[in-house]
Amino acid sequence: MRAPKSFRLHIGIFGKRNAGKSSILNALTHQDVSIVSEVAGTTTDPVEKPMELLPLGPVLFIDTAGIDDTGDLGDKRVGKTRAVFDRTDLGIIVTNFSEWGEYEIQVMEEFKKREIAFVIAFNKTDKFSENLELTSELENLNIKYVFTSATEGTGILELRQLLLQTAPADFINRPSILADLVGPGEAAILVVPIDKEAPKGRLILPQVQSIRDLLDNDSFCMVVKERELRQALSIMNKPPKLIVTDSQAFLKVAADTPPEVPMTSFSILFARFQGDLPEMVRGAMAIDSLKTGDKILIAEACSHHPIGEDIGTVKIPRWLTQYVGGKLKIDSVRGHDFPQDISEYKLIIHCGACMWNRRAMLSRIIKARQAGVPITNYGLTIAFSLGIFERALKVFPAALEVYHSGQNNNQEPF
Ligand code: SF4
């Protein structure tokens, strides 16, 4: 089975139209990935290509349309290209010595502002010779570059090497999902409701990833439906180290779990794994200050159509309305669509973003912070609205501390 997209290092390829981005991508992947033509701007949408970049492991190359496009279609392309910055872990600027200019400097500035590691590929070296002044300036700035000719196939190995050297350390040392909570030889119970919203014949990504994380850590794992939890506990000769449930079954699982056994949800695990748990705990505490008529943004990383009692469009709005005691104005967005201006919202509630890389989720958290809007996720919202917040956070002492200090100070948590 392929590595999920969220585990892959996302490498964004940026450059002017016809700088040779698609040719570089093809040379790196040894495949015809994007449409390459002599006509400037052939690539209209970001094209994604997963591959194994040994010894780094699974990566996702994202080939962008040129940011310097103009006109209507161009504007759309520019928007899509900008959104690629949000999920780029490592950037490549493709350019050549005759075209280097304001555009490349702007892309460099954007990378620096966002603290994204990047390298420069001076392409078409079969046509243009080195600008020594420019390369010595880049060396002074400690910016790494390489010479390539995608048509002659030169410099591609060096580019691969440079990408390996420049990959961000936090990609390599990514936090685990729950291996630090359930040690080798210890057991976890995962509670997975099989209702009509559950996809047919398979488990969803956070569940699969959690099972794999436990197995990698030599831990034991029992997977049950919520109705079988009591029985599962009764046949174990020792209580599990942790129970993890789908947030939608929180109340039933909380009722059936002995108080001394820690309990949390997949979604809360993913607030930590994909995002920033303390920040999202602060965000959930903003639910207490919501009033009738406040605007809320619910954002889901997948673009699937909601089925039945969908969590984002039906259940969370219902639980929140009950908690607040009046109607809220709720907007929903899906996929990579996200409003430019979020300042009108009193709270943003995000899904676990299991299909994304961590940087994409962190970008949204940073945007929310910059706009002064609290942000939280589904699991934390549900736990807060149902009154089991503290219990669901017990296994995360730092996050619990954030909650307690917010309460003790009796102040706006954000
Ligand atoms: S909606 Fe979010 S949490 Fe659910 S599967 Fe998609 S990315 Fe994962």
Side-chain angles (χ1 to χ4, degrees):
M1 191 179 148
R2 276 182 161 180
K5 201 158 130 179
S6 53
F7 271 27
R8 295 178 176 273
L9 179 79
H10 286 37
I11 304 179
I13 307 184
F14 295 77
K16 280 193 193 116
R17 285 177 294 166
N18 224 16
K21 299 184 294 294
S22 299
S23 314
I24 291 276
L25 179 62
N26 290 344
L28 278 167
T29 58
H30 303 296
Q31 285 172 39
D32 234 9
V33 177
S34 298
I35 315 151
V36 185
S37 115
E38 282 305 305
V39 183
T42 303
T43 309
T44 52
D45 275 331
V47 175
E48 297 187 348
K49 175 67 195 162
M51 72 172 285
E52 289 291 317
L53 192 68
L54 293 172
L56 194 59
V59 302
L60 183 80
F61 283 107
I62 313 167
D63 180 14
T64 62
I67 270 189
D68 59 332
D69 281 352
T70 51
D72 275 355
L73 179 60
D75 287 346
K76 277 189 200 145
R77 289 180 189 173
V78 172
K80 284 180 178 164
T81 300
R82 287 202 181 284
V84 175
F85 278 110
D86 288 346
R87 53 195 161 112
T88 292
D89 297 308
L90 175 59
I92 307 177
I93 300 175
V94 180
T95 182
N96 61 59
F97 285 112
S98 90
E99 292 203 20
W100 176 269
E102 193 51 35
Y103 162 78
E104 285 74 14
I105 293 167
Q106 274 176 19
V107 176
M108 271 199 333
E109 291 309 318
E110 194 69 33
F111 282 142
K112 283 192 201 158
K113 198 171 84 193
R114 293 168 181 251
E115 296 178 18
I116 300 173
F118 67 96
V119 303
I120 300 171
F122 286 106
N123 196 27
K124 305 189 182 178
T125 45
D126 48 317
K127 289 190 187 154
F128 308 108
S129 47
E130 182 177 354
N131 174 342
L132 286 167
E133 200 184 323
L134 173 58
T135 48
S136 76
E137 197 183 316
L138 293 175
E139 276 160 29
N140 288 340
L141 292 170
N142 209 13
I143 292 171
K144 298 195 176 92
Y145 62 87
V146 68
F147 301 140
T148 57
S149 165
T151 43
E152 296 189 342
T154 54
I156 300 300
L157 271 180
E158 289 79 358
L159 175 56
R160 269 172 173 257
Q161 204 53 42
L162 204 56
L163 292 174
L164 297 182
Q165 287 166 11
T166 319
D170 63 351
F171 174 77
I172 295 148
N173 309 320
R174 189 173 185 174
S176 63
I177 300 173
L178 41 56
D180 58 324
L181 306 173
V182 183
E186 293 176 335
I189 296 185
L190 308 184
V191 183
V192 175
I194 303 295
D195 50 22
K196 68 173 184 297
E197 283 90 43
K200 285 237 175 320
R202 65 178 173 88
L203 298 179
I204 60 171
L205 196 53
Q207 297 157 354
V208 174
Q209 288 179 333
S210 299
I211 294 171
R212 177 60 195 260
D213 203 40
L214 289 164
L215 295 177
D216 281 341
N217 200 38
D218 301 331
S219 309
F220 306 134
C221 171
M222 188 189 272
V223 184
V224 299
K225 299 197 296 284
E226 71 278 26
R227 284 192 302 274
E228 275 81 53
L229 176 61
R230 264 178 200 264
Q231 204 186 340
L233 285 165
S234 73
I235 61 167
M236 293 177 86
N237 60 11
K238 190 158 113 177
K241 193 75 196 303
L242 181 65
I243 294 180
V244 182
T245 179
D246 184 291
S247 305
Q248 302 184 60
F250 243 147
L251 275 185
K252 165 96 179 112
V253 171
D256 289 351
T257 300
E260 67 281 6
V261 177
M263 176 202 86
T264 192
S265 75
F266 292 104
S267 182
I268 295 177
L269 289 175
F270 271 70
R272 180 176 76 142
F273 182 61
Q274 290 290 68
D276 178 335
L277 182 57
E279 186 75 22
M280 289 185 144
V281 165
R282 273 191 285 274
M285 292 175 75
I287 293 171
D288 254 349
S289 339
L290 292 178
K291 294 184 288 300
T292 304
D294 278 348
K295 282 194 90 168
I296 312 284
L297 180 67
I298 296 191
E300 207 153 280
C302 282
S303 43
H304 61 245
H305 285 292
I307 320 165
E309 290 261 285
D310 179 68
I311 183 155
T313 51
V314 179
K315 288 183 181 164
I316 288 185
R318 185 164 66 212
W319 283 319
L320 271 184
T321 308
Q322 278 165 5
Y323 189 91
V324 173
K327 268 202 143 208
L328 298 159
K329 291 183 187 143
I330 296 181
D331 291 340
S332 296
V333 289
R334 290 176 187 279
H336 288 290
D337 289 340
F338 202 65
Q340 277 297 322
D341 181 11
I342 49 172
S343 57
E344 58 180 338
Y345 295 106
K346 290 284 182 278
L347 178 64
I348 298 169
I349 304 173
H350 214 286
C351 77
C354 69
M355 310 289 255
W356 282 358
N357 64 342
R358 189 166 189 220
R359 182 176 285 279
M361 190 59 231
L362 291 177
S363 294
R364 287 207 169 164
I365 293 176
I366 292 166
K367 265 185 208 157
R369 221 183 201 302
Q370 280 167 349
V373 181
I375 182 166
T376 189
N377 86 351
Y378 283 10
L380 289 160
T381 301
I382 296 169
F384 196 93
S385 328
L386 298 180
I388 45 176
F389 201 56
E390 191 162 2
R391 188 162 182 203
L393 288 180
K394 255 197 187 127
V395 278
F396 309 105
L400 197 61
E401 174 63 33
V402 168
Y403 174 56
H404 286 153
S405 57
Q407 274 191 322
N408 294 341
N409 296 339
N410 197 22
Q411 60 189 19
E412 288 283 316
F414 196 78

